[in-house]
Amino acid sequence: RSPQIIPVVTLNTDIEVPKVAFVGCDYVNSGMICGDLAKLILCNGGTVAIVIGNATIAGHTERVKGFLASVGEAEAIRVMTPIENEDDDDISYRKVKALLQETAPDLIYFGAAGIEGGIRAVLECGRRIHIVTVDYTDTVKRYLKSGVIAATVTQQPFVQGDEAINILFNVLADDRQPRDTNNYTRNQVLLRNSKEY
């Protein structure tokens, strides 16, 4: 008798394993949208600093890849080497503070967590710096509504969880496979006056 195969759905971060599906963010597209936002904000050019969690995390590097692909079309925008904050607010605060003591970016793109610490450093420096973020945490929501964050691109974590469970249920209960192996949630842009979804 052959062994039973356990259906696997990877969630949020894809890994190379035999699986029914991946459910999560299209990180490259998320980065491209953030790059589009940066081009709109810096329509006359400027300098962009990028803050990510860790360069070994695929989602973080894919966002940077998408961002650079989009912003690369704008000759007047210069992008600095990404800073890694390990998704930690204290590390983010220290690294962004050090960055702002040495340079004067016009926009900071936070492509991962550690946003609150980074924004604290921005607010303390006293300069007007545009901020684009990802996700829609309580911190992001608060700073978006107050106008500190210009825009954020969500990844809909609750939708991801629901979809992963639905796919597994359909496979186990009805032997119904998903239409696609990659099931991406919508990368939704939220601005200060956007209504919550």
Side-chain angles (χ1 to χ4, degrees):
R1 201 170 123 165
S2 63
Q4 288 185 334
I5 297 174
I6 299 172
V8 172
V9 172
T10 56
L11 176 64
N12 191 262
T13 299
D14 200 9
I15 54 174
E16 293 300 319
V17 296
K19 60 184 169 282
V20 173
F22 162 70
V23 178
C25 179
D26 182 339
Y27 293 105
V28 173
N29 179 253
S30 172
M32 292 181 83
I33 293 169
C34 289
D36 290 346
L37 291 166
K39 287 187 294 188
L40 287 171
I41 294 166
L42 302 179
C43 58
N44 295 317
T47 303
V48 177
I50 299 176
V51 181
I52 60 170
N54 190 300
T56 63
I57 297 173
H60 298 185
T61 56
E62 288 174 2
R63 278 192 177 123
V64 171
K65 178 181 173 184
F67 187 89
L68 294 175
S70 174
V71 171
E73 300 166 356
E75 293 180 12
I77 295 178
R78 186 176 75 83
V79 180
M80 302 165 71
T81 303
I83 297 169
E84 296 177 48
N85 67 9
E86 304 305 328
D87 289 330
D88 180 272
D89 282 314
D90 292 333
I91 295 171
S92 191
Y93 171 77
R94 289 194 306 272
K95 290 200 171 185
V96 172
K97 184 174 182 174
L99 169 81
L100 296 176
Q101 288 170 345
E102 297 170 8
T103 63
D106 300 292
L107 183 145
I108 298 179
Y109 165 46
F110 288 93
I115 294 169
E116 184 155 26
I119 288 178
R120 196 163 21 110
V122 171
L123 294 175
E124 284 180 10
C125 86
R127 296 195 306 268
R128 175 69 177 124
I129 299 170
H130 302 286
I131 297 172
V132 173
T133 64
V134 294
D135 225 333
Y136 197 51
T137 62
D138 289 341
T139 295
V140 170
K141 187 184 300 186
R142 186 173 75 250
Y143 284 125
L144 186 66
K145 295 300 178 190
S146 67
V148 173
I149 293 174
T152 194
V153 176
T154 68
Q155 62 177 349
Q156 301 177 311
F158 295 109
V159 173
Q160 290 181 33
D162 282 350
E163 185 62 15
I165 296 299
N166 287 336
I167 288 171
L168 284 171
F169 176 81
N170 290 335
V171 169
L172 293 170
D174 297 329
D175 196 27
R176 188 163 31 119
Q177 300 296 314
R179 280 184 303 192
D180 297 306
T181 302
N182 290 321
N183 297 268
Y184 296 122
T185 52
R186 258 185 336 134
N187 286 319
Q188 182 180 24
V189 176
L190 294 179
L191 306 171
R192 183 178 189 173
N193 293 305
S194 297
K195 290 189 176 182
E196 293 188 33
Y197 56 92

